[in-house]
Amino acid sequence: MSALGVSPSRDTTRTTSGTASRSGLHGQIRVLLRQHRRVLWGWGALLLLGVGFVVALRIWVTVAGRDELCADGDTTPCGDDVYQPTYARTSAETFLADGGTAMMVLAVLVGAFVAGPLIARELESGTFRMAWAQSSSPAQWLAARLAVPAALAASGAVVLVPVYHWGRSQLVNSPYVYGLGWYEPSVYPVMGPVSIGYVLLAVAVGALIALLVRRTVVSIAVSVLVLGLVMKIQQRVREDLWPTARALGDHRPKGDVWWVDSGMLTAAGKEVRWRDCPDAYTTDDPGACMRELGGVTNFVDYHPASHFWPLQLVETGILLALAALAVLLAFRVLRRRHG
């Protein structure tokens, strides 16, 4: 009871607790931003470098194209049937064709940073006890280490995706472009929201592994292996995330389409695929093997460009669900080990 004979109200206690909780979380975020400011500056510099690189490639292609006798070195309108692109165009195509791979590497680096320097190092050295002894609870400590890298990595992806689209758009209109299809494994991850899904999954997986392993170097190595495995699996199952379209007979889909599989249908409608005839193209008549298996009508399974967004959204949903599960498990591990 207080000196006035009146006990503190429940609302006052709840307000004080809520204020302390917010101050503890905000304090942890400020500590992280100050403690890892060099890494954050490095991340910002890397982001600016990526944006500047794409802008420079686009300017280079534009300037080089103006100096050619025919537009962008295409000598066809000038009476020659051989396409001769500028060195700027071929270089830009080569670099941008690995844009998705670069995004995956960045996601892995984010996961490794969260797993190692951000969490496992504190658990290994014991410095986490200092934060917990002050105004921060274990849950706030972990929440800050999830929120800061997730916000920064996701904001970086939000910037890089439209910049990459802008740089790629100058090249994909050419009928001779190679390696920049939206479905290419080295392009697709930087084409839409799936990039955000990958970086958020990397943060969540890195945190979970750090709490389980509690050793800096080992946590980094395990997180890289796990994220690499997840990315490889997603790449393999991507074509099955949305039903394919089918073309029959001599019809072949036109435009920027993703050819998934092909073969022939028997008279009974059974599918016979080209992979059932591995030596077909070593003979003078590739279709002979298929006809021997009963094939009578050609078919092609493919994803048209209209399937881009359904595929992106389904994969993003899977990645976010996996990230949410990893975060839930991370808090559960933290609570079980430290209360």
Side-chain angles (χ1 to χ4, degrees):
M1 184 176 292
S2 67
L4 297 177
V6 180
S7 61
S9 67
R10 184 175 302 177
D11 290 341
T12 303
T13 303
R14 185 182 298 113
T15 302
T16 303
S17 176
T19 302
S21 175
R22 289 192 296 273
S23 63
L25 180 59
H26 293 163
Q28 278 296 304
I29 292 177
R30 287 194 298 271
V31 169
L32 281 179
L33 294 176
R34 183 170 62 251
Q35 183 179 2
H36 298 282
R37 59 185 178 276
R38 291 184 179 178
V39 176
L40 299 179
W41 279 111
W43 168 249
L46 191 61
L47 179 62
L48 290 177
L49 180 63
V51 172
F53 186 66
V54 174
V55 172
L57 285 177
R58 173 144 185 168
I59 294 174
W60 186 23
V61 172
T62 301
V63 173
R66 292 172 181 172
D67 295 335
E68 293 293 326
L69 179 62
C70 295
D72 192 50
D74 182 0
T75 59
T76 304
C78 300
D80 192 345
D81 60 354
V82 178
Y83 176 67
Q84 298 177 354
T86 63
Y87 179 69
R89 175 177 284 271
T90 55
S91 298
E93 288 180 0
T94 300
F95 287 120
L96 293 180
D98 289 323
T101 301
M103 178 61 72
M104 294 296 92
V105 171
L106 288 176
V108 171
L109 290 177
V110 169
F113 172 71
V114 173
L118 201 62
I119 296 180
R121 180 183 294 173
E122 291 201 21
L123 295 174
E124 188 175 15
S125 63
T127 55
F128 66 94
R129 296 187 181 91
M130 183 179 300
W132 295 1
Q134 297 174 358
S135 60
S136 300
S137 67
Q140 292 169 345
W141 176 85
L142 178 57
R145 280 151 182 78
L146 287 168
V148 171
L152 294 176
S155 61
V158 168
V159 172
L160 288 175
V161 168
V163 170
Y164 180 83
H165 270 277
W166 176 73
R168 174 180 172 271
S169 64
Q170 187 182 26
L171 304 174
V172 294
N173 293 329
S174 169
Y176 305 99
V177 68
Y178 176 77
L180 285 178
W182 61 267
Y183 48 83
E184 297 286 351
S186 59
V187 171
Y188 183 87
V190 73
M191 289 289 290
V194 73
S195 60
I196 299 176
Y198 275 113
V199 295
L200 294 181
L201 177 64
V203 171
V205 169
L208 175 60
I209 290 174
L211 290 168
L212 291 172
V213 177
R214 301 170 64 88
R215 295 291 182 269
T216 304
V217 176
V218 180
S219 295
I220 291 174
V222 174
S223 66
V224 170
L225 289 175
V226 171
L227 289 171
L229 180 61
V230 171
M231 291 174 181
K232 192 66 176 178
I233 292 174
Q234 282 296 119
Q235 178 183 327
R236 287 185 173 273
V237 304
R238 184 171 294 147
E239 64 187 39
D240 299 319
L241 297 180
W242 196 258
T244 57
R246 171 165 288 185
L248 297 175
D250 295 330
H251 173 68
R252 290 292 181 269
K254 303 295 183 180
D256 194 16
V257 301
W258 180 6
W259 290 52
V260 175
D261 204 354
S262 62
M264 298 184 74
L265 298 176
T266 66
K270 180 182 177 181
E271 297 175 351
V272 181
R273 301 183 181 274
W274 283 106
R275 60 173 175 262
D276 298 327
C277 296
D279 300 325
Y281 290 99
T282 62
T283 64
D284 295 333
D285 185 5
C289 172
M290 300 290 286
R291 291 192 295 272
E292 289 177 2
L293 295 175
V296 295
T297 303
N298 293 313
F299 76 87
V300 174
D301 291 335
Y302 66 100
H303 286 295
S306 60
H307 286 189
F308 169 78
W309 280 110
L311 287 166
Q312 279 273 330
L313 294 176
V314 170
E315 184 168 352
T316 302
I318 294 173
L319 295 172
L320 293 180
L322 292 175
L325 177 61
V327 169
L328 179 63
L329 292 175
F331 276 102
R332 190 165 185 176
V333 170
L334 181 70
R335 188 162 51 249
R336 177 171 297 180
R337 290 187 174 182
H338 301 284

